Amino acid sequence: AGLEPVQPARHHGRPLKPQHPAELLLLLSCPAFRAHFGRLFGREAAEQWRFASAARYSEVSEDEEEEEDQLRALSWFALLRVQPDPEEEEDKHETALAVAPLGTVPKGAPLLACGSPFGAFCPDIFLNTVSRGVLSNATGPLLLTDARCLPGTEGGGVFAVRPPGALVALVAAPLCWKSGEWVGLTVLCAAAPLLRIAHNALGLLRTSAASLASLLPPEVGTRWGLPLRDPGPTWAAAAVLVECGTIWGSGVVVAPRLVVTCRHVAPREASRVLVRPTTPKNAKIWGHVVFATQETSPYDISVVSLEEDLEGVPMPVPTEHFHEGEAVSVVGFGVFGQACGPSVTSGILSAVVQVDDTPVMLQTTCAVHGGSSGGPLFSCSGDLLGIVASNTRDNNTGAIYPHLNFSIPITVLQPALQQYSQAGDLRGLQELDHTTEPVRVVWRLQRPQAETPQSKL
Amino acid sequence: MGRQCGPDMRVAEQAGCVVRASRAGQTEAGSWSCSGVILSRSPGLVLCHGGIFFPFMRAGSGVLTAAATAFLPGDSCSDDLRVHVQWGPTASSPEGRVKWGRPGLSTPQC
């Protein structure tokens, strides 16, 4: 606060255009977005969720009434007519904006968010700051991305990489917290339904505004001859929702009748488990826990055998190598559980912790939330790298860090899973209960003991 | 340091803007602002977030929650609303022209 530009504003070193007066034509909101928003974030969940908003310049409001206003306002957008600037040249280089029809961008697809943190507070520094992420989840016109957005970017555009530069959505709520945990997801409103509402509304306004409807950007696909429905990464469908009694979490299909999840999701051997694959929708298959590691084992793993095959679910290919820094994705039912399908979050493999040259722990920068445990960690080519076990909690402050999380390398599990899958032999899995002390030390996030010096006597 | 500019970046930067809503006669300190997307340049059409207009609503924000309401006309806000839009240099303006795809090189106009 208190920054005052003392020279003409510059954008990344280039002078900004002067401010242009504009007229508010319409306030518009997508009823379907509001309905989905209410379903995901409202009612009994409401008290858990907090959303950041672009407060007035330097004031931060605390009172509840304004917070309620903010929630109401969150799903509203505005259409403005900008007064022409006689000096502004016709821009021959400009690429025509096009809009991605709703549903054409699949989960896991790369997205680019472009907004100005803190709005007009410091545009010469922050105007059009971009951030990359993926489409993490979608329920109707309500979309979520893990691209990092800050207050002030509300209304900023979110663009697809494929088809290049198609407008997918606008930022509705840049930051959200659930039960005090920063979720690391940005709430978006799909652009196509908003612009359809604008098109219809303009037709009902004064004739001078009605003609503007023809200026609204077209939906891409028909004109560009692109496939309208990009199926997206097929490997994401290997993630399943796992329910065991009142506990639920994520899991991954590793064979037509075998699902791996975490012990803290399905803790007891022989207990019945309900597995819900992502496709077909509403399918559910019963199974039971055939193996769960002991509490003392650092590998928080449970193996579920299903009563019938999982039809049409792709079997992920387990990797044999890990490359720190490689692009990775986590697929899990964290944050929303059954309210909407699994979320995809992206990041990189930030660390491969080894004991005696054997990978025993993977760390990523993907956003991992409560409920994602047991879910799969994939490489960008869809190979299964590991099973998500936890994110990070600071025991002193209680703060949760979604972007620092731990997975069990699939190389630790694969031989044992194969042994069981092919011969029903549990001995390999039971070895997970007898890991060495150094492995335990790693998973207790302790520093490895220094070598105890040998006595020279 | 070169700039990574795919087509998505180019479109995003070209379409991005900031929108400021204030009351007539008020200083910048008392305004609200957010980001927006330039849908068309001439004539100028911008889509931005609606939250910055609610302090100006004549009937208060209660009208927003009627489930089926999909739009409200611009004159739902008071007459003392002033809106300004600002964007970066466009590709056509000399300051804005940067040759994509060959960072670090430029083609000065003859």
Side-chain angles (χ1 to χ4, degrees), chain A residues 234-258:
Chain A
T234 54
W235 37 266
V240 294
L241 182 70
V242 175
E243 298 172 33
C244 181
T246 57
I247 303 173
W248 60 271
S250 305
V252 60
V253 179
V254 291
R257 290 194 181 219
L258 208 59

Side-chain angles (χ1 to χ4, degrees), chain A residues 14 17 19-20 22 25 27 29 34 56-57 69 72-74 76 78 80 82 94-95 116 120 128 132 152 154, chain B residues 8 13-14 20 28 31-33 35 41 44 46 48-50 61 66-67 69-72 74 83 85-86 95:
Chain A
R14 292 170 287 166
K17 290 292 181 189
Q19 295 188 57
H20 286 72
L25 290 176
L27 286 168
S29 173
R34 293 206 309 260
R56 280 174 75 170
Y57 259 102
D69 265 355
R72 281 199 201 104
L74 191 145
W76 283 82
L80 312 176
V82 182
E94 189 166 299
T95 311
S116 305
N128 288 352
R132 282 199 188 279
E154 295 89 339
Chain B
D8 54 339
E13 283 200 339
Q14 183 185 281
R20 183 199 311 271
E28 279 192 7
S31 63
W32 287 263
S33 61
S35 301
R41 280 192 188 270
V46 164
C48 70
H49 198 264
S61 60
T69 308
F71 73 88
L72 295 167
V83 185
V85 179
Q86 191 169 31
E95 315 87 11

